[in-house]
Amino acid sequence: MRAWVVRTPGRIDQVELPVPRPAADELLVRVRACGVCRTDLHVRDGDLPPHRTPVVPGHEVVGEVVAAGPEAQVPAPGTRVGVPWLRRTCGRCKYCLRGQENLCPSSEYTGWDADGGYAEYVTVPAAYAYELPTGYADEELAPLLCAGIIGYRALRRAGLPPGGRLGIYGFGGSAHLTAQVALAQGAVVHVLTRSSAARRLALDLGAASAGDSYDRPPEPLDAAILFAPVGELVPVALEALDAGGTLSIAGIYLSDIPALHYERHLFRERTVRSVTANTRDDGREFLATAATHRIRATVTPYPFDRADAALDDLAADRVNGVAVLTMER
């Protein structure tokens, strides 16, 4: 099969690999589309320490089941499933037992600990594959499997009150999906991003305002989510919060945070929360939301053979919405 692999930081190469064989509890999935996530960029560039070398990136996979191991609960052959970032947890540690499997110290991740979806086939433990909502094309579903799910968890971590004022810093793949969920819940959304195209998209989706990343929003925020991996924006977002507000930091990677001034940034019970992956329940809840509220994924498709260009464009902020690799039918 054709696949893209990362061997050394800063480079990704197309190679031929054997079609993987599913383990006893796994499905073999023929890839139909795979989203290009900023985490893939961090894997390519070495911002995340290698867990497997070489590794096939990609964890926003939409595909069809073609085979299964003897212990896997098997959907009908040809069933469309989603292969997400969270690949496996131990199920026995204190975090798994109390419903926080995203904090499991033995957790494994697609495209980091195991080969992912920048390939024609991928395996996934059957218990971690998602059923997908109908009415969406493959390319529309792919971004929901990470960008959508992690944005949903970040929104929950932000503690936005009903009808509250939400600030979103950075407006790429995850943010533009999260904004739609917040708007559907009745929030007032203010977007702060350096991209003029992203600001136009934010307003088109229903944001109340869209400004530059370092601008002050037009009103104090009840909650904010930082999607841009820019530590310098942490004090900017904290200063924009109203008393009692929460800043949720959504990324798996963040550059260094400058020194914070207690009275200006944290006093009056402002809170900072990080986000670490997601639980399967987060994914199921978000995909159920997508089944009942149409979520518009702004997609830029790339042929599979141009995965390297898609990552370069993402790094240079040339992608509006989400880049998605598509397989020839």
Side-chain angles (χ1 to χ4, degrees):
M1 69 174 184
R2 294 175 300 157
W4 289 87
V5 298
V6 175
R7 293 192 180 94
T8 57
R11 182 184 175 98
I12 188 168
D13 298 296
Q14 189 173 169
V15 298
E16 293 282 329
L17 294 177
V19 174
R21 298 180 63 181
D25 65 343
E26 292 180 349
L27 307 174
L28 176 64
V29 175
R30 180 185 291 117
V31 177
R32 290 162 51 161
C34 183
V36 179
C37 179
R38 191 163 290 275
T39 301
D40 302 333
L41 195 60
H42 296 320
V43 169
R44 186 199 71 173
D45 292 345
D47 298 325
L48 295 178
H51 281 192
R52 174 188 175 100
T53 303
V55 68
V56 177
H59 56 272
E60 297 180 340
V61 185
V62 176
E64 58 185 287
V65 176
V66 294
E71 299 173 12
Q73 291 187 350
V74 187
T79 298
R80 189 168 64 163
V81 297
V83 182
W85 173 238
L86 183 67
R87 178 180 176 84
R88 194 185 292 276
T89 58
C90 74
R92 301 181 301 275
C93 69
K94 63 181 180 181
Y95 303 107
C96 287
L97 293 176
R98 68 190 189 199
Q100 294 177 299
E101 65 180 2
N102 59 309
L103 302 180
C104 174
S106 302
S107 56
E108 297 177 5
Y109 299 95
T110 308
W112 193 21
D113 295 288
D115 286 341
Y118 287 26
E120 292 181 299
Y121 293 88
V122 66
T123 61
V124 58
Y128 291 79
Y130 286 118
E131 295 182 15
L132 297 174
T134 59
Y136 289 85
D138 296 338
E139 293 81 4
E140 295 175 306
L141 283 170
L144 306 188
L145 290 163
C146 178
I149 293 171
I150 200 64
Y152 179 78
R153 183 168 184 87
L155 180 60
R156 291 182 60 196
R157 295 279 291 164
L160 181 68
R165 301 157 298 177
L166 176 68
I168 293 181
Y169 289 80
F171 205 69
S174 189
H176 92 287
L177 301 174
T178 306
Q180 294 177 65
V181 175
L183 288 164
Q185 294 174 350
V188 176
V189 175
H190 299 287
V191 170
L192 297 309
T193 180
R194 67 182 182 179
S195 166
S196 58
R199 292 196 291 270
R200 290 193 296 271
L201 174 60
L203 295 173
D204 184 49
L205 290 173
S209 73
D212 186 75
S213 302
Y214 292 87
D215 288 348
R216 178 66 71 96
E219 59 182 336
L221 304 173
D222 297 306
I225 305 174
L226 176 58
F227 287 100
V230 182
E232 286 186 354
L233 289 174
V234 170
V236 174
L238 284 170
E239 199 164 353
L241 290 177
D242 203 352
T246 297
L247 170 63
S248 174
I249 301 175
I252 192 172
Y253 169 83
L254 188 72
S255 61
D256 290 344
I257 300 172
L260 299 177
H261 185 277
Y262 177 68
E263 185 173 356
R264 195 164 73 240
H265 300 129
L266 295 171
F267 190 55
R268 292 179 58 75
E269 300 194 351
R270 298 182 182 96
T271 301
V272 181
R273 288 178 168 175
S274 67
V275 177
T276 301
N278 61 273
T279 66
R280 280 172 286 176
D281 283 345
D282 292 325
R284 295 180 188 118
E285 289 176 16
F286 171 70
L287 291 171
T289 299
T292 56
H293 296 279
R294 177 73 186 186
I295 294 177
R296 171 183 156 195
T298 301
V299 170
T300 301
Y302 286 78
F304 176 77
D305 289 335
R306 296 194 66 234
D308 51 351
L311 286 167
D312 288 342
D313 287 348
L314 179 61
D317 284 335
R318 291 190 293 261
V319 177
N320 192 26
V322 187
V324 176
L325 304 182
T326 59
M327 293 294 183
E328 297 84 352
R329 297 290 186 265

